[in-house]
């Protein structure tokens, strides 16, 4: 999850301009490598709409870096489970709306054989899964920017969530990825 140094995942208007300022090919490669270790993507409705619109529009545009093409190919082919109380249909390839509670859906997915699941954005989903103790690992991509206000990552998480730092990764842009296991 991309976050600002002051802990926000998006600006108040859901903007991610701060995120794109430090994005580079090195990070695109790492993102594709991270997605390659997964086989299912979990999304909230807002994140789904934004990502589906961007990543399905001309994914083979030659202006995009090669790493983005690989990422787009994976995103478009992977199964996606969308959690939304307002959406009634999804159109992105291999996407489906969750029919049960988040705990039941993710619990069943965790019991299946396969690779990891990954969540993009979707702070409400991250918080709900953290409350249910269904998150095994957090990868926080901390960007060297402070925006002062916005959408906090762990809004409404009342309980303490103990984490253990497993690894750090530093990019030339100043972005640091913190890999935490949940204790």
């Amino acid at each position: 999850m991309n976050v600002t140094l002051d802990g926000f995942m998006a600006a108040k208007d859901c903007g991610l301009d701060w995120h794109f300022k430090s994005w580079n090919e090195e990070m695109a490669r790492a993102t594709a490598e991270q997605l390659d270790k997964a086989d299912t993507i979990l999304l909230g409705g807002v994140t789904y709409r934004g990502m589906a619109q961007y990543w399905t529009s001309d994914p083979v545009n030659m202006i995009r870096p090669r790493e983005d093409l690989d990422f787009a190919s994976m995103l478009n082919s992977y199964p996606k489970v969308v959690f939304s109380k307002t959406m009634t249909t999804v159109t992105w390839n291999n996407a489906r709306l969750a029919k049960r509670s988040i705990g039941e859906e993710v619990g069943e997915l965790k019991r299946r054989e396969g690779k990891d699941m990954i969540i993009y954005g979707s702070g409400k989903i991250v918080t709900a899964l953290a409350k249910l103790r269904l998150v095994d690992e957090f990868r926080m991509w901390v960007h060297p920017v402070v925006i002062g206000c916005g959408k906090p990552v762990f809004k409404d998480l009342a309980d303490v969530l103990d984490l253990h730092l497993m690894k750090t990764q530093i990019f030339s842009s100043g972005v640091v990825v913190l890999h935490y296991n949940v204790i």
Side-chain angles (χ1 to χ4, degrees):
M1 178 170 291
N2 290 289
V3 298
T4 62
L5 187 60
D6 51 348
F8 297 107
M9 57 182 286
K12 276 187 173 180
D13 64 355
C14 295
L16 298 173
D17 294 347
W18 55 268
H19 163 272
F20 297 112
K21 292 177 185 175
S22 53
W23 194 258
N24 61 28
E25 287 185 32
E26 177 186 25
M27 292 170 62
R29 277 192 304 277
T31 301
E33 289 169 9
Q34 181 178 332
L35 183 56
D36 188 49
K37 292 180 173 81
D39 62 7
T40 304
I41 301 169
L42 307 178
L43 301 162
V46 172
T47 304
Y48 167 85
R49 285 187 287 276
M51 289 185 75
Q53 180 181 8
Y54 181 82
W55 289 106
T56 59
S57 64
D58 197 14
V60 294
N61 181 334
M62 297 313 285
I63 295 172
R64 290 186 177 170
R66 176 73 203 153
E67 294 77 14
D68 277 359
L69 297 177
D70 294 340
F71 187 72
S73 176
M74 286 187 279
L75 278 177
N76 287 311
S77 65
Y78 280 25
K80 293 165 277 294
V81 181
V82 182
F83 296 90
S84 173
K85 293 178 181 170
T86 59
M87 296 175 66
T88 57
T89 61
V90 290
T91 58
W92 195 0
N93 188 44
N94 293 324
R96 69 173 177 86
L97 284 168
K99 293 183 171 94
R100 296 171 291 171
S101 73
I102 193 166
E104 291 171 330
E105 286 279 352
V106 174
E108 180 181 315
L109 289 169
K110 285 177 72 84
R111 288 187 292 277
R112 292 182 184 174
E113 292 292 321
K115 294 181 178 182
D116 295 338
M117 287 178 271
I118 192 166
I119 303 171
Y120 288 113
S122 309
K124 289 179 184 176
I125 292 172
V126 171
T127 299
L129 291 173
K131 285 179 178 179
L132 294 169
R133 303 291 188 197
L134 290 172
V135 177
D136 299 320
E137 178 182 347
F138 289 99
R139 291 190 187 179
M140 308 305 286
W141 294 58
V142 183
H143 289 250
V145 63
V146 174
I147 62 173
C149 63
K151 296 189 173 211
V153 176
F154 296 107
K155 184 178 179 183
D156 300 326
L157 184 64
D159 295 332
V160 172
L161 188 61
D162 290 317
L163 307 172
H164 174 62
L165 182 64
M166 299 299 294
K167 177 182 171 183
T168 60
Q169 190 174 3
I170 302 171
F171 294 103
S172 60
S173 64
V175 172
V176 177
V177 182
L178 304 170
H179 298 245
Y180 287 104
N181 278 355
V182 178
I183 300 174

